[in-house]
Amino acid sequence: MTEDEPPRLLGLEEAPAHFESASQKARVSTELWARRVGCPNCGSLTLDRLPANTPVSDLRCPACGEEYELKSKQGRFGARVPDGAYRTMQQRLVEQNNPHLMLLAYDGVSREATDILVIPKHFFVLALIEPRPPLAPPARRAGWQGCNINISKVPPSGRVVLLQDRLWTPRDEVRRQWESTLFLQKVSLDARGWLLEVMKAVEAIGRPEFTLDEVYASEAQLQELYPANRHVRPKIRQQLQVLRDAGYLDFIGRGRYRRRAGRAA
């Protein structure tokens, strides 16, 4: 937190008394608290709660209109986050009207938020949405099929950390990381998959400067993901050129590249 930022409290708010079940109280309490997180897209200090039962989204920024789906969990999130109807999620991705995903982890004993992670909507591709088995009879909604979001497939630059281990990331740092990947909004859903996989390969190297041969080390993995593509190395070079033109990285000559300052490692 910088000196000019107001203090941001970690304690969760109490849910109104008319909510009886523990799950309802937890949902409302975390939604009320998450409003104070603010909008990483435009920097607004507050978010508005959307009406109950709004499909997919929970929060909206009053300044820029961006929407967020809030998922809360006592303890840390794993690789997969349970979500709603599988076909609904697929359709929203195709129509590109899905919200950003906000993940809030909290301590149930101290009733404090511990971690907040936002995955911008432009990092979502169909491969992240994994179907769960349909509900079987005699379930009340027999045949209904939910889904999981596999967040392990998101590159580090798509994991915008607002709070980690009860420590806030300065808002200006959050904005820098957020703005550094906005170019993905202009990339079609079909083309975005390849681009994100190459970004993951680049970021997995773990250094700002890297060589083309180091990215080629991911060739076998990419071939497995895209078995119909028999020209993986040319495709890698093409994606690196797209990332260069977008300002994500610089080509510094003789097969060497550098990620721009401020990108997630």
Side-chain angles (χ1 to χ4, degrees), residues 118-139:
V118 179
I119 299 177
K121 61 185 179 182
H122 42 272
F123 278 89
F124 277 76
V125 291
L126 291 171
L128 264 63
I129 311 302
E130 300 176 344
R132 297 201 303 267
L135 295 181

Side-chain angles (χ1 to χ4, degrees), residues 2-258:
T2 59
E3 292 183 359
D4 58 346
E5 285 187 22
R8 290 184 278 177
L9 303 179
L10 300 177
L12 300 181
E13 297 188 23
E14 291 291 337
H18 63 271
F19 289 99
E20 297 181 357
S21 74
S23 61
Q24 285 181 324
K25 288 180 178 180
R27 176 181 59 80
V28 174
S29 179
T30 52
E31 283 183 3
L32 288 170
W33 184 87
R35 293 182 56 205
R36 304 183 308 195
V37 170
C39 179
N41 181 67
C42 73
S44 173
L45 298 181
T46 60
L47 297 170
D48 291 337
R49 287 181 69 204
L50 289 168
N53 300 319
T54 299
V56 182
S57 299
D58 302 296
L59 303 164
R60 176 185 289 136
C61 176
C64 68
E66 291 295 307
E67 295 185 358
Y68 298 83
E69 179 184 14
L70 177 67
K71 293 293 182 181
S72 303
K73 183 178 185 296
Q74 184 171 319
R76 296 184 183 278
F77 284 90
R80 290 171 172 81
V81 178
D83 211 293
Y86 176 56
R87 295 194 182 281
T88 299
M89 288 294 294
Q90 282 189 313
Q91 188 62 35
R92 291 203 67 154
L93 276 183
V94 170
E95 295 176 356
Q96 299 194 43
N97 63 345
N98 55 305
H100 309 290
L101 178 63
M102 180 178 289
L103 303 177
L104 164 60
Y106 63 93
D107 184 326
V109 176
S110 66
R111 289 190 52 78
E112 287 186 339
T114 60
D115 302 89
I116 306 172
L117 174 73
V118 179
I119 299 177
K121 61 185 179 182
H122 42 272
F123 278 89
F124 277 76
V125 291
L126 291 171
L128 264 63
I129 311 302
E130 300 176 344
R132 297 201 303 267
L135 295 181
R140 183 171 58 87
R141 293 192 294 169
W144 182 87
Q145 186 174 30
C147 68
N148 293 320
I149 302 175
N150 190 339
I151 61 175
S152 69
K153 294 182 178 181
V154 179
S157 58
R159 299 162 175 260
V160 183
V161 176
L162 279 60
L163 178 72
Q164 187 171 37
D165 295 329
R166 293 184 168 89
L167 296 176
W168 290 100
T169 304
R171 293 186 190 274
D172 56 352
E173 185 176 330
V174 169
R175 291 291 304 283
R176 279 197 299 271
Q177 183 179 353
W178 189 274
E179 291 173 355
S180 71
T181 62
L182 289 178
F183 68 89
L184 288 169
Q185 293 183 352
K186 301 177 181 178
V187 180
S188 70
L189 184 62
D190 290 339
R192 201 182 302 160
W194 256 106
L195 200 57
L196 291 178
E197 290 299 332
V198 172
M199 287 175 67
K200 283 173 60 179
V202 167
E203 293 173 12
I205 295 169
R207 302 187 310 277
E209 289 193 16
F210 60 94
T211 67
L212 181 58
D213 286 339
E214 288 178 297
V215 188
Y216 281 162
S218 299
E219 180 180 5
Q221 181 180 355
L222 291 169
Q223 183 68 78
E224 185 176 351
L225 288 172
Y226 299 98
N229 191 307
R230 299 301 178 187
H231 306 283
V232 173
R233 289 198 172 198
K235 189 69 174 181
I236 289 173
R237 292 196 299 272
Q238 179 194 57
Q239 300 307 295
L240 289 174
Q241 182 175 346
V242 172
L243 293 172
R244 181 203 65 190
D245 293 345
Y248 174 84
L249 54 80
D250 295 314
F251 176 64
I252 56 179
R254 296 188 176 183
R256 300 188 65 84
Y257 297 82
R258 180 190 298 114

